[in-house]
Amino acid sequence: MANTQRFAFTEVQNHLGPLNRMPYLPLTLRYENCTLTASGLLDTGATVNVMPYQFGLQLGAVWERQSVPLQLAGNLAHLPAYGLLVKAQIAQFPPVDLAFAWTSSDNVPLILGQVNFFMEFDVCFYRSQERFEMSPKKDCS
Amino acid sequence: MPMTDLLPTLQSLPHSEKIQVVQFLVSQLEREEVMELLTPLELYPIWSPFDAVDAAEGLLKMLEEVKQRESEHG
């Protein structure tokens, strides 16, 4: 992959021994005039990106003013969510628009899923080496 | 039962039963390797919004509208 950035898996606080390293990606999110630095869990099994409630608040989003209701699935299926569009800055790559399902739960990580993180970036996982590599999508136009 | 007692018994088994013993031990070893990583009845949360097709369509529509607005103001 050209223009590739390499990241190490991140150690998470749990009791799972060899399973306590996960592919978290550091990124900066920008919404209107607010900025938030966070780490998102790369999850190829997630249909959409997911943003925990407090993250949206820290970005200055107002829950009651959201206008795009969404229905999530799995553990988040019973909780309300809204679509939230933010600008994401990752490493030295150009900023991209990422659409998140902003959930009313805080018991969930920031999730980067198929729509639309993996539509914007190509990622290779090397789990045995506890690292992943990514690059912006190739412009096919 | 110590190995020294067990080995003669295993040696005396017919060929097909020796194979069954080998298969049994292999499956036991695989099970033990998995159990080192995963604990029975432990809670392993899965947060992936799997198959959230409607949510995906909603977000894609949102992205499309933004792109349209940006190209109109181009």
Side-chain angles (χ1 to χ4, degrees):
Chain A
M1 290 194 292
N3 191 17
T4 297
Q5 181 76 36
R6 180 184 288 194
F7 298 87
F9 275 39
T10 300
E11 186 158 338
V12 295
Q13 295 301 316
N14 63 36
H15 57 284
L16 298 176
L19 299 180
N20 67 351
R21 286 186 169 79
M22 303 286 277
Y24 277 89
L25 174 70
L27 72 171
T28 301
L29 301 175
R30 196 166 290 114
Y31 179 78
E32 295 180 352
N33 293 324
C34 292
T35 302
L36 175 69
T37 301
S39 286
L41 176 63
L42 267 58
D43 185 353
T44 58
T47 312
V48 295
N49 304 325
V50 177
M51 179 178 296
Y53 184 65
Q54 284 299 322
F55 280 39
L57 292 185
Q58 287 178 51
L59 282 168
V62 179
W63 183 259
E64 292 75 16
R65 290 202 208 130
Q66 299 312 307
S67 58
V68 182
L70 300 173
Q71 176 66 57
L72 289 180
N75 284 355
L76 298 168
H78 63 291
L79 295 167
Y82 288 99
L84 192 70
L85 193 69
V86 301
K87 213 68 151 176
Q89 176 72 55
I90 297 162
Q92 78 282 12
F93 304 137
V96 294
D97 287 327
L98 289 184
F100 283 86
W102 183 22
T103 174
S104 59
S105 171
D106 275 316
N107 198 18
V108 61
L110 184 72
I111 294 176
L112 301 173
Q114 294 296 330
V115 177
N116 62 322
F117 177 81
F118 287 103
M119 295 168 78
E120 292 294 331
F121 295 98
D122 293 329
V123 184
C124 281
F125 294 88
Y126 302 91
R127 177 61 179 89
S128 63
Q129 298 172 48
E130 295 178 354
R131 67 179 174 88
F132 62 95
E133 294 179 357
M134 61 180 284
S135 62
K137 67 179 179 186
K138 288 193 180 10
D139 189 356
C140 299
S141 58
Chain B
M1 177 190 283
M3 277 282 279
T4 48
D5 293 344
L6 186 58
L7 284 178
T9 307
L10 291 173
Q11 213 162 14
S12 67
L13 288 174
H15 182 76
S16 59
E17 285 186 28
K18 282 180 184 159
I19 292 176
Q20 282 179 38
V21 167
V22 168
Q23 288 170 339
F24 169 75
L25 288 174
V26 166
S27 75
Q28 283 295 106
L29 287 169
E30 282 173 353
R31 191 177 144 78
E32 282 168 20
E33 280 170 13
V34 168
M35 299 303 261
E36 279 173 21
L37 295 174
L38 298 173
T39 309
L41 301 178
E42 186 68 53
L43 187 65
Y44 295 99
I46 304 291
W47 291 109
S48 294
F50 178 71
D51 259 357
V53 175
D54 290 342
E57 282 176 1
L59 291 181
L60 286 170
K61 189 168 167 230
M62 216 168 76
L63 285 161
E64 194 52 49
E65 284 167 4
V66 165
K67 236 192 267 188
Q68 232 169 357
R69 275 202 302 271
E70 282 172 358
S71 68
E72 278 165 14
H73 292 121

